[in-house]
């Protein structure tokens, strides 16, 4: 049973460029969340996708956008990259269930470096 | 705005010793999660705490939740080197399973 997978593993971009990160959720999961983790800090919630729509969004600018496909996989797009966007980007998948604790399972992450 | 604070931020301890990591949060929630992160790696789920008074144990780690005090603890018993990692608590403020707010992490180093 494959867990959460992310691609690419590492990425180097320059300021002003655009980047797309990809995530495939754990088998059976229908919800994908994206987090940004700067070095030495805890992850920060970017947004969550469920049923191909953005269900919740954290305090991130519109330069950060996403998409969820019918097979539940997801993409995170960041436009006009800034040096401060350098971070580990984590994808987490879960199964939406009312009235239950929803455990999120994290992928290995994509390390983005902006020069 | 929900704030989640962990202390200590850094913990160096000898093998065989006991210690507790504290996680305080600022708003009502009865869903709290503990994760472990090794250097350069992703987050590994340790515990899911879903109600006041919840206690869970796995090996040398035990987590508890007091929703009235807005406090969770992660207790380490007889630490071993393999427990060296960064530990994060995360709170689901909406109780809806969509947005986790993480603490800053506790970096644990267990020395032989």
């Amino acid at each position: 049973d494959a867990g959460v997978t992310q691609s690419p593993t590492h990425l180097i971009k320059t300021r002003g460029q655009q980047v797309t990160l990809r995530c495939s959720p754990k088998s059976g999961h229908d919800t994908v969340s994206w987090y940004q983790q700067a070095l030495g800090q805890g992850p920060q919630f970017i947004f969550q996708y469920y049923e191909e729509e953005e269900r919740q969004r954290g305090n991130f600018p519109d330069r950060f956008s996403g998409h969820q496909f019918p097979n539940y996989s997801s993409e995170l797009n960041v436009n006009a990259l800034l040096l401060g966007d350098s971070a580990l980007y984590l994808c987490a998948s879960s199964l939406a269930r009312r009235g239950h604790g929803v455990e999120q399972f994290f992928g290995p992450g994509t390390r983005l470096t902006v020069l | 705005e929900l704030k989640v604070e962990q202390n200590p931020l850094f913990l160096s301890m000898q093998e065989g010793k006991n210690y507790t990591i504290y996680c305080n949060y600022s708003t009502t929630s009865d869903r709290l999660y503990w994760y472990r992160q090794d250097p350069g790696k992703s987050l590994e789920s340790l515990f899911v705490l879903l109600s006041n008074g919840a206690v869970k144990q796995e090996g040398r780690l035990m987590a508890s939740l007091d929703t009235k005090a807005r406090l969770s603890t992660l207790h380490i018993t007889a630490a071993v080197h393999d427990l060296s990692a960064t530990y994060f608590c995360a709170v689901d403020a909406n109780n809806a399973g969509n947005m986790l707010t993480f603490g800053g992490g506790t970096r644990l180093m267990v020395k032989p």
Side-chain angles (χ1 to χ4, degrees), chain B residues 61-106:
Chain B
L61 300 178
M62 182 174 71
S64 66
L65 177 62
D66 181 343
T67 59
K68 294 179 182 177
R70 300 177 186 173
L71 170 69
S72 180
T73 61
L74 180 66
H75 186 72
I76 303 157
T77 301
V80 293
H81 179 69
D82 285 351
L83 289 179
S84 297
T86 299
Y87 293 85
F88 291 96
C89 63
V91 176
D92 179 357
N94 297 330
N95 282 343
N98 49 16
M99 177 175 169
L100 293 183
T101 300
F102 282 80
T106 296

Side-chain angles (χ1 to χ4, degrees), chain B residues 42-71:
Chain B
S42 188
L43 299 172
E44 173 191 355
S45 178
L46 294 175
F47 299 108
V48 178
L49 303 170
L50 300 177
S51 62
N52 185 41
V55 177
K56 290 199 174 179
Q57 183 165 5
E58 180 72 34
R60 301 175 187 273
L61 300 178
M62 182 174 71
S64 66
L65 177 62
D66 181 343
T67 59
K68 294 179 182 177
R70 300 177 186 173
L71 170 69

